[in-house]
Amino acid sequence: MNPSGTRIMDADAIRRAVTRIAHEILERQKGVEGLVLIGIIQRGDLLARRLAEQIKTIEGAAPPVGALDITFHRDDTQRVQPSSGRASHLPFDLNGKRVVLVDDVLYTGRTVRAALDELNDYGRPRQIQLAVLVDRGHRELPIHADFVGKNVPTARREQVAVHLREHGDPEDAIWLLRPEEGGVHGTGA
């Protein structure tokens, strides 16, 4: 079932954005040596895996991929859903690595701040960059994305719903929802 709202990206647009971001990461990082991708759990980790697959297609080697649960570092826990039950999984040493942190939607910046706090528990990377599928503006913290699939200016009352097949959604799509349209998830912070 699709939400009512405006579809801002379909499966092909998402695939093209992931391909472009993968190329931009490789260009900026000059290959996969010392590079790791870490996705923020619920959809960022799925996107990190897609990016790693695309990088492997382009470069012949995939960077290691990890998943980060930021639940305990959130400062807005009264507003967020409880953790999916999946714990952080970083099967590599972070010290000295070039990290690309991956999330689906960048909004206020609070999710990214929580992710940076969680990463500090695992080591000291050489560099951290941020890749997001959608940047919707409205930052409350001085955080910006280094790699962006699509900039989507929104009103604060609007929300962005990211659907990914790997998450159990019926299709890959991104929807802009207004309050009267309901059915909101994947809104990013």
Side-chain angles (χ1 to χ4, degrees):
M1 180 172 88
N2 292 332
S4 59
T6 304
R7 185 191 314 232
I8 55 177
M9 291 180 83
D10 62 11
D12 286 337
I14 292 171
R15 180 188 46 74
R16 284 189 300 272
V18 168
T19 299
R20 182 175 36 77
I21 291 169
H23 278 282
E24 289 173 1
I25 289 170
L26 285 169
E27 184 176 325
R28 204 170 292 170
Q29 300 300 328
K30 298 181 180 21
V32 297
E33 185 67 33
L35 175 67
V36 298
L37 303 179
I38 300 175
I40 299 173
I41 293 174
Q42 290 251 2
R43 288 177 178 80
D45 58 326
L46 303 174
L47 290 167
R49 282 190 240 137
R50 286 188 186 190
L51 282 168
E53 289 171 15
Q54 188 61 43
I55 288 170
K56 183 177 182 181
T57 298
I58 298 164
E59 197 73 6
V65 178
L68 204 60
D69 179 0
I70 61 159
T71 303
F72 298 112
H73 290 280
R74 299 286 309 223
D75 63 359
D76 59 352
T77 54
Q78 71 279 4
R79 292 185 18 217
V80 297
Q81 296 176 351
S83 171
S84 66
R86 295 170 43 208
S88 293
H89 176 69
L90 302 178
F92 41 77
D93 180 14
L94 273 186
N95 292 306
K97 295 290 194 270
R98 293 174 293 136
V99 172
V100 175
L101 187 62
V102 181
D103 203 7
D104 58 347
V105 179
L106 178 58
Y107 180 39
T108 64
R110 293 187 179 283
T111 296
V112 175
R113 188 220 34 94
L116 293 171
D117 288 347
E118 176 76 7
L119 280 176
N120 283 333
D121 294 345
Y122 288 91
R124 188 169 190 285
R126 180 173 137 203
Q127 177 185 49
I128 301 173
Q129 293 181 314
L130 177 62
V132 298
L133 195 52
V134 175
D135 184 344
R136 60 176 292 204
H138 302 289
R139 225 67 85 236
E140 296 174 3
L141 300 171
I143 290 174
H144 80 281
D146 300 282
F147 311 101
V148 178
K150 184 174 182 84
N151 286 293
V152 181
T154 63
R156 285 196 178 272
R157 70 185 195 295
E158 294 174 322
Q159 297 185 322
V160 174
V162 175
H163 290 201
L164 298 174
R165 290 182 325 275
E166 300 94 327
H167 192 262
D169 296 316
E171 65 175 346
D172 286 351
I174 301 175
W175 296 83
L176 179 62
L177 306 175
R178 288 162 187 86
E180 64 277 3
E181 294 166 343
V184 177
H185 65 276
T187 57

